[in-house]
Amino acid sequence: MSRTFLGMPGAAPRSGDEGFPERAARALRDSQLRFNLRKATRTIRARRAGVVAELPDWAELRRAGKEIKDHTLRHLDTYLIQLEEAVTKAGGHVHWAADAAEANRIVAGIVKATGETEVVKVKSMATQEIGLNEALLAEGVTAYETDLAELIVQLGDDWPSHILVPAIHRNRSEIREIFTRRMAEWGRPAPEDLPDDPPALAEAARLHLRERFLSTKVAISGANFAVAETGTLVVLESEGNGRMCLTLPETLITVLGIEKLVPTWRDLEVFLQLLPRSSTGERMNPYTSTWTGATEGQEFHLVLLDNGRTGVLADEVGRQALRCIRCSACLNVCPVYERVGGHAYGSVYPGPIGAILTPQLRGMGSELDRSLPYASSLCGACYEVCPVAIDIPSVLVELRAKGRHHLAERTGMAAAGWVLERSGRLARMQRLGGRLRKLAPGRLPGPLGGWTDTRDLPPIPEESFRDWWNRTDGGRR
Amino acid sequence: MSSRERILARVRAAVAGAPDPEIPRGYRGPGALPADGVVDLFAERVRDYRAVVRVLPESEAAEQVARSLAERRAGRVVVPGGFPRALLTAPDVQWVTDDPPLTAAALDAVDGVVTTCAVAVAETGTIVLDAGPGQGRRALTLVPDYHLCLVRAGQIAPGVPDALARLDPVRPQTWISGPSATSDIELNRVEGVHGPRTLEVLILT
Ligand code: SF4
C-alpha cells in the first residue's frame, strides 16, 4: 500500500525523518511563538469554559455527539450511499477518491473542464491534507486561500500551526510586513503606510480579496458536516469568505472526508451546539451555510475522500479518532501543544488529535510518526474537553504499544516530559533577568542530552504531571 | 474495481462486528426550552455580538426602517422579492430589486440590503435566512456592507433544536450570528471582514 499523503511539505527541516523532539526543540527556541500560543490558548480556553458552562445539558449533548458519530461510522457504507443518492437527486455530482492523488486528479479535472486557471478556496483541512494547492499548481491552476489566517500563511510561504487560528505563530508586525511585501505579487497591493493594528490589517485583506471573490468562477471548499438523509452540506465559519466561495462562483467543488457524515438533519441540533462552543468559544459562529446539491444555478461537485480513513476505521480502539469534528479544543488545553505549537507535529493535524490521527492515517513508517504518540504526558485534559469524547490518552497508549521502536523509545518516550521541563526552565531563565540569549545554547542538543546551561538552576522535583501542573499553573509560576 | 466499490468494501470490512450504539438524546430537544422571554433573550444575545438591536411594535416598523437607513446614509438599498412593500416608505432611498439578478459588481456598489428572515434562535442570538420571501438569494446579504434584518417575535425559537425543526433542509440557508468577524490577528476580534460589517436587527413585537 502506498503511504498516505498528509500534506507534509517537502522542505528538509520538516521531513518525516525528523522526530517530534527535534521539531519541538526548534519551536521552543521561538519565544514569539510561545508567547502567541500561550496567549491564544489561554484566551480560547477561558471563552470555551464560559459558554460550555452556560448549557445545563452539555454532558448529554456530548454523549449524543459521540454516539451519533459512532452509529454513523458503524453504518458508514449505508450513509455514504444515501448521501450520494440525495446529492445526485438534487443535481450535484458525486466523486469517490481512494487516496490523495485520486482526489487531486478529480479536482484538477473538474477545474480544467471549466477552462479556468484560478480558483478561490475556503479553509479546509481535507484539501490541505491531500496537498491540493500544490497539485493544482502543477496543472497550471492557482489556488487562492481566502481565510485571513490562511492568506497570511500563504503569502508568507508558511505552514499553518493551529486548526482554528492557523497563523497563531505570527504577530501583527510580521503580518504587516508579509502583506506589504507580498500582496502585490498576488493581486491588489497592500495600501501604502499600512499600520499594524488588526482592523487595518483586516481591511487590507478585505480589499485584497474582494475583487477576486467577485470575479473568480470556481471555488473549492471542505465541509464540517454532510447530512446523509437530505444530501445537505454544512460549513461553519467566521469571516464570510466561506459564504463568498460557496455563493458567488459558478462551480463549487467540495472535498469531504468520509467521516464527516451525520445521518439526519435533526442530528445537527447536537453538533451546531457542540462545535462553535468548543471551537471558538462562541454561542454560535458568525456564519453557517447549508446547501443541498446544485444551488441557485451553481454547478456542484462533491468529492468523497478516503485517504487512509478506512484503515483507521478498522482499528477497534483507534477508530474513535474519526469522530473528531476538528474543533481544536484539545489543542488549546494541551500543555505540550501550548509550548511547541503546531509545526512540531509535522502534518496538517496538530496537537493531541494530530498525535493520534496522523500516525494512524499515515502508518508508523517514519521516525516522526513513531514519535508522535509520545508527544503527550497523558494528562487527560484533551479527553475532558473533547465534545465527542475521544479518549485520546487511550489511543496514544495503544499506538505506543503498536509502534514499538528502539529509537522512538529512547528519544521519543521522554519527548513530552522533556518539552514541559525545558519550557519550565526557559520561563525561569527569562525571569532571571532576561539572560535567555546568553544562556540558550546556539545548537540544541538532543532531548536527553546534558543541559549544562541550566545546571545551576534547581532541578524539577519528582512529582506527577498533574501535581506539577496545578502547583505551577502549567509552568508559569 | 472502482474507487467507490473499493471504499465501500473497505468500510464494510472495517466495521464488521463493531458495536452498534443507541443514540441517547437526553439533552434539551425541540420543545424543551421555555418559549417565554425569548424576545429579551434574543435581543441580549444579538447585542453580545456587537450588532445593533432595536425592539419595537410592528406598527412602527416602516418608520424605523426609514430612520435606520437615514442614519446609515444608505441611498441605494437592495430589496429582495417578497419583502413587504408597505415597509418601504423611506423618502430618499432608491430601492434596488434583484430582478433580473444583480451582478456581483452591482451588489458591491449598493449601500445596504434590507430583509426579513425565516427563523431566529434566542439562546444563540442567531437569525436564519432560507431564501424565502423577503430574503432573496444568498449573495444579497453577503456582498453589501450593511444588512438590516427584520425579525417578527413569533419567528424566534428558544433554542437550536427548535429552530432546526422549523426549517426545510433542502432550502439553502445562512445562519447569521452577528457581523462577520475574525480573530486571526493575535486573537483580537475585528468585526467585518468579508460579510456585512454592520448588522442591524429590528425585532417586531
Ligand atoms: S479530538 Fe475532540 S477536542 Fe480535539 S479537535 Fe477533535 S473533536 Fe475537538
Side-chain angles (χ1 to χ4, degrees):
Chain A
M1 204 183 86
S2 67
R3 253 183 56 145
T4 300
F5 180 75
L6 275 191
M8 280 272 297
R14 291 178 186 140
S15 93
D17 297 336
E18 197 186 36
F20 179 81
E22 292 78 20
R23 289 155 184 273
R26 226 184 3 259
L28 279 175
R29 273 182 301 188
D30 187 342
S31 59
Q32 179 68 52
L33 172 69
R34 280 185 298 119
F35 176 83
N36 289 357
L37 281 171
R38 179 170 303 182
K39 180 179 166 195
T41 52
R42 298 189 107 194
T43 309
I44 307 181
R45 217 151 60 204
R47 263 193 228 153
R48 176 203 165 271
V51 293
V52 164
E54 256 181 34
L55 294 188
D57 54 349
W58 184 258
E60 284 79 15
L61 284 166
R62 183 171 180 254
R63 205 164 303 136
K66 166 181 184 286
E67 300 299 353
I68 290 170
K69 281 288 185 180
D70 277 352
H71 167 86
T72 315
L73 292 169
R74 176 66 184 79
H75 303 281
L76 191 57
D77 52 336
T78 310
Y79 288 126
L80 283 168
I81 293 170
Q82 210 184 350
L83 177 74
E84 178 186 45
E85 277 170 12
V87 170
T88 309
K89 199 173 136 232
H93 306 275
V94 178
H95 312 258
W96 301 69
D99 56 24
E102 189 175 12
N104 289 334
R105 226 170 22 243
I106 292 168
V107 175
I110 300 168
V111 176
K112 285 169 95 175
T114 65
E116 296 294 317
T117 54
E118 297 188 340
V119 299
V120 281
K121 276 190 70 199
V122 51
K123 173 178 151 58
S124 141
M125 305 207 60
T127 60
Q128 268 169 23
E129 173 190 319
I130 60 176
L132 180 64
N133 292 7
E134 294 77 9
L136 286 175
L137 198 60
E139 300 279 335
V141 175
T142 309
Y144 294 98
E145 294 292 349
T146 62
D147 270 69
L148 181 49
E150 294 291 342
L151 178 74
I152 296 166
V153 168
Q154 188 174 46
L155 291 177
D157 286 328
D158 203 351
W159 197 246
S161 60
H162 190 282
I163 294 181
L164 190 70
V165 214
I168 206 166
H169 56 291
R170 296 287 196 185
N171 66 17
R172 58 180 77 188
S173 56
E174 289 176 298
I175 294 168
R176 180 189 54 182
E177 202 271 323
I178 291 169
F179 279 9
T180 308
R181 192 161 45 82
R182 298 296 307 279
M183 266 186 176
E185 282 169 53
W186 288 76
R188 182 179 172 136
E192 285 186 28
D193 308 322
L194 178 65
D196 68 359
D197 61 296
L201 294 169
E203 167 81 8
R206 177 185 170 96
L207 294 171
H208 177 76
L209 286 170
R210 186 144 282 234
E211 289 165 31
R212 181 150 290 134
F213 282 133
L214 300 189
S215 61
T216 307
K217 303 256 187 307
V218 182
I220 298 171
S221 83
N224 296 97
F225 305 102
V227 181
E229 106 187 299
T230 59
T232 307
L233 278 294
V234 185
V235 167
L236 282 70
E237 55 142 345
S238 294
E239 296 172 14
N241 61 309
R243 293 179 67 194
M244 289 279 181
C245 290
L246 300 174
T247 313
L248 296 182
E250 292 163 7
T251 302
L252 172 63
I253 306 165
T254 299
V255 180
L256 184 84
I258 53 172
E259 81 283 18
K260 298 278 184 183
L261 275 66
V262 296
T264 67
W265 175 251
R266 184 186 171 183
D267 293 323
L268 292 176
E269 72 190 17
V270 174
F271 295 105
L272 289 185
Q273 298 194 70
L274 288 177
L275 182 49
R277 288 178 198 257
S278 299
S279 179
T280 46
E282 294 167 297
R283 296 187 181 107
M284 197 61 95
N285 50 295
Y287 297 135
T288 297
S289 297
T290 75
W291 76 99
T292 306
T295 305
E296 294 176 347
Q298 207 174 39
E299 182 174 320
F300 175 56
H301 295 267
L302 178 63
V303 181
L304 299 171
L305 176 73
D306 181 346
N307 203 35
R309 286 163 174 77
T310 46
V312 183
L313 190 60
D315 188 301
E316 272 174 44
V317 179
R319 65 163 67 110
Q320 57 184 307
L322 296 177
R323 293 203 292 258
C324 175
I325 55 174
R326 313 277 189 264
C327 71
S328 73
C330 59
L331 277 65
N332 299 325
V333 296
C334 179
V336 177
Y337 176 84
E338 185 182 287
R339 285 161 176 78
V340 301
H343 292 152
Y345 296 81
S347 98
V348 297
Y349 302 109
I353 181 60
I356 63 168
L357 197 55
T358 304
Q360 290 200 86
L361 284 173
R362 207 154 52 183
M364 311 261 278
S366 72
E367 183 53 40
L368 171 68
D369 292 343
R370 279 189 301 271
S371 65
L372 276 178
Y374 296 92
S376 164
S377 64
L378 302 179
C379 76
C382 48
Y383 173 48
E384 277 166 38
V385 296
C386 178
V388 285
I390 299 173
D391 187 352
I392 293 175
S394 294
V395 181
L396 286 169
V397 168
E398 138 122 351
L399 288 173
R400 287 181 187 184
K402 269 196 185 155
R404 217 162 258 289
H405 174 269
H406 78 282
L407 194 57
E409 282 176 80
R410 218 174 57 228
T411 64
M413 189 79 92
W418 169 79
V419 161
L420 297 172
E421 186 173 313
R422 166 79 176 136
S423 57
R425 287 179 178 184
L426 273 181
R428 244 168 280 141
M429 284 195 289
Q430 280 166 326
R431 277 198 305 276
L432 285 173
R435 292 185 292 134
L436 175 64
R437 241 170 233 286
K438 218 167 70 199
L439 286 171
R443 190 185 62 83
L444 275 156
L448 300 181
W451 289 95
T452 51
D453 54 331
T454 57
R455 208 167 30 195
D456 55 338
L457 292 168
I460 308 253
E462 293 282 329
E463 61 183 339
S464 76
F465 174 73
R466 271 284 195 212
D467 293 348
W468 173 82
W469 180 257
N470 291 336
R471 182 175 57 77
T472 62
D473 187 18
R476 281 178 283 266
R477 274 204 298 269
Chain B
M1 201 164 32
S2 70
S3 289
R4 180 181 187 276
E5 296 316 313
R6 194 161 348 131
I7 293 170
L8 289 172
R10 280 190 204 153
V11 168
R12 288 178 187 129
V15 300
D20 189 4
E22 282 292 303
I23 298 170
R25 295 194 192 261
Y27 55 86
R28 301 168 304 160
L33 268 67
D36 44 305
V38 290
V39 170
D40 289 345
L41 183 61
F42 176 67
E44 176 200 314
R45 295 282 152 99
V46 180
R47 261 182 214 119
D48 274 357
Y49 297 123
R50 297 191 223 176
V52 182
V53 182
R54 302 175 208 276
V55 185
L56 55 136
E58 187 146 12
S59 56
E60 293 167 23
E63 231 174 291
Q64 183 57 50
V65 168
R67 207 160 32 229
S68 292
L69 293 176
E71 264 172 42
R72 174 80 192 176
R73 293 180 205 282
R76 295 183 67 243
V77 176
V78 175
V79 189
F83 189 90
R85 308 299 299 181
L87 301 183
L88 305 179
T89 57
D92 303 319
V93 172
Q94 184 195 338
W95 305 106
V96 182
T97 59
D98 190 37
D99 181 23
L102 297 160
T103 63
L107 268 179
D108 197 28
V110 301
D111 298 318
V113 57
V114 51
T115 72
T116 61
C117 72
V119 173
V121 189
E123 194 169 67
T124 60
T126 305
I127 51 180
V128 185
L129 274 58
D130 72 353
Q135 300 160 56
R137 62 193 166 99
R138 296 169 296 171
L140 298 193
T141 51
L142 172 62
V143 182
D145 205 15
Y146 169 73
H147 179 193
L148 178 61
C149 184
L150 277 57
V151 180
R152 280 181 289 106
Q155 292 181 302
I156 305 173
V160 172
D162 311 274
L164 280 162
R166 291 190 198 179
L167 287 160
D168 176 359
V170 176
R171 303 187 68 89
Q173 293 171 20
T174 308
W175 293 50
I176 299 171
S177 306
S180 91
T182 182
S183 299
D184 281 345
I185 302 168
E186 295 182 5
L187 234 64
N188 289 296
R189 187 181 160 99
V190 177
E191 263 83 35
V193 194
H194 303 297
R197 285 183 281 196
T198 307
L199 172 69
E200 181 168 347
V201 178
L202 305 185
I203 305 172
L204 310 179
T205 55

